[in-house]
């Protein structure tokens, strides 16, 4: 199994059960998930933590996933 413990994955979904489940699955696979239910909080974290991957919900009340990804790319254009 490949070592993935250093790969941080930003998980953003306004439904807490979804972000927790996805985070748990990623953690079980060896990734380091950073779970958020609010896209604004996720952006704040992305400014302080280098994340390599983002898994985001497309429909959220505060900001849709497309806008969130665009903003994440302005923080670090290498994020996938």
């Amino acid at each position: 199994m490949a070592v993935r413990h250093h790969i941080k994955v930003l998980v953003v979904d306004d439904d807490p059960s979804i972000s927790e489940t996805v985070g748990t699955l990623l953690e079980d696979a060896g990734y380091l998930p950073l779970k958020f239910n609010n896209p604004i909080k996720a952006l704040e974290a992305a400014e302080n933590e280098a994340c390599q991957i983002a898994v985001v919900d497309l429909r959220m009340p505060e900001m849709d996933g497309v806008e969130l990804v665009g903003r994440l790319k302005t923080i670090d254009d290498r994020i996938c």
Side-chain angles (χ1 to χ4, degrees):
M1 176 181 220
V3 177
R4 299 181 183 107
H5 66 273
H6 64 283
I7 298 175
K8 293 181 187 169
V9 181
L10 192 65
V11 178
V12 189
D13 195 304
D14 59 315
D15 182 336
S17 64
I18 300 288
S19 59
E20 283 299 318
T21 300
V22 171
T24 299
L25 291 169
L26 288 167
E27 194 168 30
D28 290 348
Y31 295 94
L32 179 60
L34 303 173
K35 302 169 279 190
F36 294 92
N37 304 117
N38 180 309
I40 304 300
K41 298 283 185 191
L43 282 171
E44 292 170 1
E47 290 178 354
N48 299 314
E49 289 278 341
C51 297
Q52 289 76 35
I53 301 169
V55 178
V56 303
D57 186 5
L58 286 177
R59 294 183 183 168
M60 296 180 283
E62 297 87 2
M63 175 187 316
D64 70 37
V66 175
E67 181 181 352
L68 176 58
V69 169
R71 289 188 181 193
L72 288 169
K73 290 293 231 177
T74 64
I75 294 169
D76 185 347
D77 66 348
R78 296 171 296 170
I79 196 167
C80 298

